[in-house]
């Protein structure tokens, strides 16, 4: 049957026209509605790959109405709801919610005027039911007594088990009911429920609907509900049928059924979808079908396309002017129409104590419920510092050196020699080498000892000629008259494997120092001043540090700061991304918790963890492994904690930029090595390519590492520029990271 005939049979032309003509509205009248959406346009993706989700959509939800938002999966319902609660922005078009523009100053949206049950569970499953209600109630400014009163009713009504049951131990359906209850707990003016009846048995589903109807009648609560059980929305006052981001219709259910002569709303949806597919549902043609042509008196402007009709713009048969609960003069004052821009002072003013308390309590409770995870997080830096102290900077021991000593027959060994003896000086030198934990492997021929080095069995080959002792004696006694042959034969010939810089340098040092030791001992025994064995440069006690500097002490400041910085980064980014992925952050933001409140509560809770990590790391570094600390421990603690705070703030940036743990991990890993290499942690900045030095100066750990090194090795205090530069630079980075993450959190909501 043709469409126009169908509709003619159900609604008289004059009646239909009256519905449409009453739709003319002004901004003032739109603001009187609970929700009013006009010409909403929203797309995702880039210009090339644009995915249009809402296309000129109009929607009107009267105060106190139950509005069923129906449509196939992916048609844009959740997107529309996110725009309504102020968590996404339209690309164009207008939305008024409870009289104000969502997200504008003074609109109260997002905020406790709204109760939002998202599609995902969005609950802390480690909490009990009561703790869940306490959290949502406190965020919304309720007292514990008020919440407890409400819990009793909600548990009974939603057939939930004991309030002390953990959410994770509930069935899927029970968990969704807890989520629904969390949206109801503070009795909001506008309830937005995204598929609240999934997994709920038919009897309970009917109870929920009855409760919603009661709420809308007695408390004038406006309810927008999406569901896949289309026919349950017969009980709604108004239905919006959405398809492909457009409204096929926006009418009371009984009118829809009557107009399309269907028994079920599913049939209506199917019928309208077919019409849309045939391209018939264009406003220009369909308006004529529904309303008839304008009379000569009305003129062509009667159906002016800019006039106000709810439903899909230019593509609807809305009768939404049928107010369910007409607005009366007793309505509360409307928020300012244009809220104005949020300034810094507004943010500070909106740091609410009760919300901060609730969020901080929630974060601590989460930690308490995840004790093994927290122990791991606190224990991890300890393991890392232990590994560092046990592995990095210690001198390699038991290195092999091959030698050939032609002063001896291969069958005879060096015998101990006491006193001033010029015999077998090679043996005396070798004894001195052995005291340095070097393993000496004797070979008969030079080729064999060289082969041992070539095959990697020894780090160097030493050769003593057959008249080594004699030549050395001659060289000492004849000095300037010593012949070339004498000088050559008195040398120990050394061929090293220098492929490993550290080991090569260490053995070179040991070979030289062992010779000095041997010479001193020998000269002393022969009544000559042993000091004459020293090279003629006298190294006095160093001003700072030890005569033989230790790589552990050099690397420790950078390593301590890196451990604390990156573990704080990981903890913060991880927990923020987890909250966002599970919809917990979104739910929090819809309730009016502001980004600064989320950040500050994370700072407070994670600061405690970071302080414990710092304490453990410092105890192990200085008390257990005796890393040099010549300066004040107080400055060390403050600087380390500041670096941890800086890492946390960097974690905020990472988590606000990355959507998944994987991208955050790549981000963190990608920044780890550059920081390690460029911040002077494992090699002095002075050795870098000069362009990289400038890069190094704008990285967060460069100044702090230098500062900590100066405190630990030189014992300097905060009055020294090198030291206070580290504190100032870290403070600046904290501010930069915090500000950047706040900006990203504010603007990155689609
Ligand atoms: N952040 C996003 N980026 C890109 N596309 C998105 C994003 N969010 C949603 N979409 C797309 O927009 C369309 C509408 O999604 P939306 O979640 O609003 O649908 P829906 O009607 O709520 O679906 P369902 O009933 O399955 O929840 C979908 O095609 C989805 O893939």
């Amino acid at each position: 049957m043709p469409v126009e005939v169908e509709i003619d049979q159900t609604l008289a032309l004059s009646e239909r026209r009256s519905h449409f003509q009453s739709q003319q509205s002004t901004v003032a009248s739109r603001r009187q509605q609970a929700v009013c959406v006009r010409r909403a346009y929203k797309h995702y993706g880039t210009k090339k790959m644009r995915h249009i989700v809402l296309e000129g959509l109009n929607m009107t939800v009267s105060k106190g109405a139950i509005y069923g938002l129906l449509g196939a999966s992916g048609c844009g319902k959740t997107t529309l709801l996110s725009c309504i609660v102020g968590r996404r922005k339209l690309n164009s078009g207008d939305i008024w919610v409870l009289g104000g523009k969502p997200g504008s100053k003074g609109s109260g949206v997002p905020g406790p005027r709204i109760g939002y049950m998202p599609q995902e569970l969005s609950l802390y499953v480690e909490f009990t039911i009561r703790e869940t209600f306490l959290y949502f109630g406190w965020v919304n400014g309720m007292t514990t007594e008020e919440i407890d009163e409400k819990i009793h009713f909600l548990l009974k009504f939603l057939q939930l088990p004991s309030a002390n049951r953990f959410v994770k131990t509930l069935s899927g359906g029970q968990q969704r009911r807890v989520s629904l209850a969390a949206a109801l707990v503070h009795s909001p003016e506008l309830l937005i429920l995204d598929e609240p009846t999934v997994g709920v048995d038919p009897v309970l589903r009917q109870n929920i609907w009855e409760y919603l109807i009661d709420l809308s009648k007695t408390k004038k609560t406006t309810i927008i509900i999406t569901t896949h059980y289309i026919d349950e929305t017969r009980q709604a006052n108004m239905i919006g049928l959405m398809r492909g981001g457009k409204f096929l219709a926006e009418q009371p259910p009984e009118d829809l059924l009557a107009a399309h002569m269907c028994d079920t709303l599913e049939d209506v949806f199917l019928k309208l979808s077919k019409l849309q597919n045939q391209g018939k549902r264009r406003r220009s043609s369909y308006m004529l079908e529904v309303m008839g042509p304008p009379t000569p008196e009305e003129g062509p402007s009667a159906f002016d396309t800019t006039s106000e009709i709810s439903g899909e713009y230019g593509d609807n048969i809305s009768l939404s002017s049928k107010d369910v609960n007409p607005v009366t003069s007793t309505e509360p004052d409307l928020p300012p129409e244009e809220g104005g821009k949020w300034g810094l002072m507004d943010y500070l003013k909106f740091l609410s104590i009760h919300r901060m308390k609730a969020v901080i309590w929630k974060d601590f409770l989460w930690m308490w419920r995840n004790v093994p995870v927290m122990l791991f997080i606190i224990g991890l830096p300890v393991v890392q510092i232990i590994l560092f102290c046990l592995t990095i900077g210690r001198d390699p021991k038991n290195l092999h050196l091959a030698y050939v000593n032609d002063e001896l027959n291969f069958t005879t060994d060096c015998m101990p020699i006491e006193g001033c003896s010029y015999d077998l000086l090679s043996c005396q030198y070798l004894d001195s080498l052995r005291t340095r934990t070097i393993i000496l492997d004797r070979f008969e021929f030079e080729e064999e000892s060289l082969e041992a080095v070539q095959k990697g069995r020894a780090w160097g080959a030493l050769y003593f000629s057959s008249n080594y002792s004699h030549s050395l004696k001659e060289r000492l006694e004849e000095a300037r008259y010593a012949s070339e042959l004498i000088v050559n034969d008195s040398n120990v010939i050394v061929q090293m494997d220098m492929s490993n810089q550290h080991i090569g340098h260490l053995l070179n040092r040991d070979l030289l120092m062992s010779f000095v030791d041997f010479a001193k001992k020998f000269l002393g025994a022969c009544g000559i001043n042993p000091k004459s064995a020293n090279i003629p440069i006298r190294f006095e006690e160093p001003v700072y540090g030890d005569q033989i500097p230790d790589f552990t002490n050099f690397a420790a400041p950078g390593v301590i700061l890196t451990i604390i910085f990156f573990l704080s980064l990981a903890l913060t980014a991880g927990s923020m991304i987890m909250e966002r992925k599970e919809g917990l952050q979104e739910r929090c933001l819809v309730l009016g918790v502001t980004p600064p409140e989320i950040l500050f509560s994370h700072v407070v809770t994670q600061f405690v963890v970071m302080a414990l990590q710092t304490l453990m790391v410092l105890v192990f570094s200085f008390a257990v492994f005796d890393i040099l600390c010549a300066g004040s421990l107080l400055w060390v603690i403050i600087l380390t904690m500041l670096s941890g705070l800086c890492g946390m703030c960097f974690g905020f940036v990472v988590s606000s930029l990355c959507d998944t743990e994987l991208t955050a991990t790549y981000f963190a890993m990608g920044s780890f090595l550059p920081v390690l290499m460029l911040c002077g942690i494992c090699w002095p900045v002075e050795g870098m390519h000069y362009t990289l030095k400038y890069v190094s100066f704008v990285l967060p750990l460069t100044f702090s590492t230098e500062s900590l090194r100066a405190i630990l090795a030189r014992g300097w205090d905060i009055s020294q520029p090198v030291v206070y530069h580290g504190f100032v630079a870290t403070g600046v980075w904290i501010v930069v990271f915090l500000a950047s993450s706040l900006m990203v959190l504010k603007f990155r909501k689609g």
Side-chain angles (χ1 to χ4, degrees):
M1 189 184 295
V3 169
E4 61 268 36
V5 179
E6 259 180 54
I7 294 170
D8 278 352
Q9 283 174 343
T10 49
L11 288 170
L13 181 66
S14 58
E15 194 191 339
R16 295 198 316 268
R17 293 179 71 172
S18 72
H19 285 313
F20 279 89
Q21 282 151 6
S22 67
Q23 299 272 329
Q24 304 288 338
S25 79
T26 60
V27 168
S29 67
R30 292 170 195 175
R31 294 177 65 214
Q32 295 295 331
Q33 307 292 343
V35 175
C36 189
V37 182
R38 289 294 174 267
R39 296 174 180 83
Y41 180 85
K42 172 83 187 161
H43 65 79
Y44 291 114
T46 56
K47 221 173 178 181
K48 275 187 186 166
M49 302 264 293
R50 187 158 283 180
H51 174 33
I52 298 169
V53 180
L54 304 177
E55 200 176 7
L57 181 140
N58 288 347
M59 174 189 190
T60 309
V61 184
S62 312
K63 285 195 174 154
I66 301 185
Y67 190 105
L69 183 59
L70 301 180
S73 178
C75 71
K77 301 182 294 292
T78 304
T79 303
L80 177 60
L81 294 185
S82 317
C83 294
I84 290 173
V85 297
R87 289 300 307 142
R88 285 185 196 278
K89 280 202 179 334
L90 293 175
N91 297 106
S92 68
D94 290 304
I95 297 186
W96 289 268
V97 178
L98 302 171
K101 296 259 173 115
S104 67
K105 207 160 99 183
S107 67
V109 178
R113 299 181 77 186
I114 292 185
Y116 179 52
M117 178 193 172
Q119 214 172 69
E120 319 86 68
L121 187 61
S122 308
L123 294 177
Y124 292 88
V125 291
E126 299 85 358
F127 292 8
T128 63
I129 297 178
R130 180 169 182 268
E131 286 161 353
T132 305
F133 292 161
L134 282 178
Y135 168 56
F136 285 105
W138 284 340
V139 163
N140 286 302
M142 293 172 79
T143 63
T144 310
E145 293 70 41
E146 287 169 340
I147 299 167
D148 278 332
E149 260 174 47
K150 206 72 192 269
I151 290 176
H152 186 67
F153 162 73
L154 287 170
L155 288 186
K156 218 168 138 215
F157 159 65
L158 289 166
Q159 297 170 16
L160 285 166
S162 154
N164 294 324
R165 280 276 296 274
F166 286 101
V167 174
K168 66 180 166 199
T169 65
L170 302 178
S171 71
Q174 286 172 326
Q175 289 179 338
R176 285 203 65 75
R177 274 177 270 155
V178 174
S179 178
L180 170 62
L184 297 172
V185 77
H186 62 293
S187 310
E189 288 171 61
L190 172 63
L191 249 182
I192 295 185
L193 309 175
D194 206 348
E195 301 190 12
T197 49
V198 172
V200 174
D201 68 71
V203 178
L204 185 55
R205 210 184 305 158
Q206 187 49 36
N207 285 349
I208 292 174
W209 269 96
E210 277 166 19
Y211 177 67
L212 296 180
I213 292 166
D214 184 56
L215 266 184
S216 75
K217 284 199 175 133
T218 57
K219 304 227 165 117
K220 296 260 184 289
T221 307
T222 310
I223 299 158
I224 301 178
I225 184 166
T226 76
T227 173
H228 281 149
Y229 306 111
I230 293 187
D231 270 314
E232 74 181 8
T233 49
R234 269 181 185 227
Q235 299 163 87
N237 303 108
M238 185 67 66
I239 285 179
L241 285 179
M242 228 178 146
R243 187 160 186 259
K246 302 173 183 219
F247 266 149
L248 296 176
E250 190 186 49
Q251 277 182 283
E254 60 278 12
D255 290 4
L256 264 178
L257 293 168
H260 298 280
M261 298 196 345
C262 294
D263 291 333
T264 65
L265 286 169
E266 285 209 43
D267 292 342
V268 175
F269 185 67
L270 276 174
K271 205 166 181 179
L272 289 171
S273 302
K274 279 184 196 157
L275 282 172
Q276 192 192 36
N277 288 348
Q278 288 161 12
K280 281 208 177 181
R281 298 189 54 74
R282 294 255 54 86
R283 177 189 168 90
S284 50
S285 60
Y286 197 59
M287 285 288 284
L288 283 176
E289 287 174 7
V290 179
M291 298 176 68
T295 59
E297 306 85 69
E298 289 166 334
S301 64
F303 300 153
D304 175 10
T305 49
T306 59
S307 66
E308 179 65 24
I309 297 175
S310 191
E312 185 205 342
Y313 173 59
D315 196 7
N316 69 83
I317 52 167
S318 168
L319 303 178
S320 69
S321 60
K322 282 183 168 183
D323 268 0
V324 183
N325 293 306
V327 179
T328 64
S329 56
T330 57
E331 293 294 327
D333 287 344
L334 291 175
E337 194 194 329
E338 291 298 339
K341 289 213 177 321
W342 291 79
L344 180 67
M345 288 317 289
D346 293 312
Y347 275 117
L348 294 179
K349 211 164 66 191
F350 282 93
L351 282 181
S352 124
I353 299 291
H354 72 261
R355 284 198 300 259
M356 294 272 287
K357 246 172 67 181
V359 180
I360 291 172
W361 172 83
K362 174 264 295 175
D363 285 344
F364 275 122
L365 186 62
W366 186 89
M367 285 185 190
W368 179 243
R369 289 287 147 73
N370 290 282
V371 171
V373 178
M374 296 321 293
L375 285 180
F376 175 74
I377 287 171
I378 293 168
L380 199 57
V382 175
V383 173
Q384 290 180 341
I385 199 73
I386 291 175
L387 284 178
F388 164 72
C389 291
L390 290 179
T391 54
I392 308 287
R394 296 170 163 237
D395 282 349
K397 289 201 170 69
N398 300 326
L399 298 172
H400 286 255
L401 282 179
Y403 75 96
V404 173
N405 191 350
D406 279 349
E407 286 205 295
L408 293 170
N409 284 334
F410 189 66
T411 48
T412 55
D413 276 331
C414 286
M415 300 299 287
I417 299 161
E418 296 297 330
C420 178
S421 167
Y422 282 89
D423 291 336
L424 294 176
L425 292 176
S426 57
C427 289
Q428 295 184 43
Y429 174 53
L430 287 169
D431 277 348
S432 172
L433 261 180
R434 276 193 195 94
T435 60
R436 293 184 179 267
T437 69
I438 289 171
I439 299 174
L440 295 167
D441 301 324
R442 190 173 169 199
F443 290 88
E444 192 172 359
F445 303 108
E446 260 188 283
E447 296 75 29
E448 285 175 348
S449 66
L450 275 178
E451 193 187 337
V453 178
Q454 282 159 357
K455 297 251 166 90
R457 293 197 295 268
W459 287 100
L462 276 58
Y463 175 72
F464 299 89
S465 66
S466 55
N467 57 348
Y468 172 74
S469 298
H470 171 74
S471 304
L472 189 57
K473 180 175 167 250
E474 291 290 304
R475 182 172 169 170
L476 287 172
E477 287 177 351
E478 293 182 20
R480 57 194 282 199
Y481 305 108
S483 68
E484 187 72 21
L485 183 69
I486 293 284
V487 170
N488 280 343
D489 282 357
S490 63
N491 282 337
V492 183
I493 314 291
V494 181
Q495 266 193 288
M496 295 292 297
D497 170 1
M498 292 298 283
S499 59
N500 184 316
Q501 191 216 20
H502 279 289
I503 290 182
H505 280 172
L506 186 90
L507 284 173
N508 279 356
R509 186 196 74 182
D510 281 356
L511 286 170
L512 293 174
M513 289 176 68
S514 298
F515 190 86
V516 173
D517 290 347
F518 143 70
K520 277 181 173 171
K521 194 175 160 201
F522 170 75
L523 293 177
C526 296
I528 303 168
N529 184 356
K531 285 185 185 166
S532 56
N534 287 332
I535 60 160
I537 296 177
R538 201 173 72 208
F539 285 95
E540 294 289 352
E541 196 54 32
V543 178
Y544 299 116
D546 292 330
Q547 280 280 13
I548 301 175
D550 181 345
F551 186 77
T552 312
N553 283 326
F554 166 78
V559 169
I560 291 172
L561 295 184
T562 309
I563 290 174
I564 296 295
F565 181 89
F566 277 97
L567 285 180
S568 303
L569 155 73
L571 176 64
T572 315
S575 62
M576 296 263 293
I577 290 176
M578 185 272 292
E579 284 205 336
R580 203 172 54 232
K581 262 182 71 183
E582 292 181 10
L584 295 158
Q585 199 183 76
E586 189 69 7
R587 193 165 192 169
C588 216
L589 289 164
V590 172
L591 290 177
V593 180
T594 58
E597 284 166 355
I598 292 184
L599 290 195
F600 287 131
S601 59
H602 272 281
V603 167
V604 172
T605 41
Q606 283 166 25
F607 193 85
V608 175
V609 179
M610 191 265 291
L612 283 173
Q613 288 177 324
T614 305
L615 183 77
M616 302 291 279
V617 165
L618 296 184
V619 165
F620 273 84
S621 304
F622 303 119
V624 179
F625 287 101
D626 214 19
I627 285 175
L628 175 71
C629 178
S632 152
L633 200 58
L634 181 68
W635 290 122
V636 174
I637 294 172
I638 296 175
L639 186 58
T640 315
M641 299 255 254
L642 270 181
S643 294
L645 198 58
C646 191
M648 275 164 58
C649 297
F650 186 37
F652 293 142
V653 178
V654 173
S655 63
S656 31
L657 287 174
C658 303
D659 289 324
T660 63
E661 285 95 341
L662 190 68
T663 44
T665 308
Y666 283 138
F667 203 110
M669 273 172 57
S671 54
F672 177 73
L673 273 183
V675 165
L676 200 67
M677 289 185 287
L678 289 167
C679 291
I681 291 163
C682 44
W683 200 258
V685 175
E686 288 80 356
M688 276 178 210
H689 188 276
Y690 74 96
T691 48
L692 287 179
K693 275 189 204 169
Y694 296 107
V695 178
S696 164
F697 291 142
V698 291
L699 289 179
L701 290 186
T702 309
F703 285 103
S704 50
T705 300
E706 222 22 71
S707 170
L708 189 57
R709 199 168 277 147
I711 300 172
L712 294 182
R714 295 172 174 157
W716 285 359
D717 65 12
I718 196 78
S719 62
Q720 300 286 337
V722 173
V723 176
Y724 66 69
H725 283 168
F727 286 77
V728 172
T730 312
V732 169
W733 272 108
I734 290 174
V735 174
V736 169
F737 284 143
L738 262 184
S740 324
S741 49
L742 276 175
M743 300 290 271
V744 181
L745 270 183
K746 181 167 161 36
F747 293 110
R748 198 171 178 263
K749 56 178 179 183

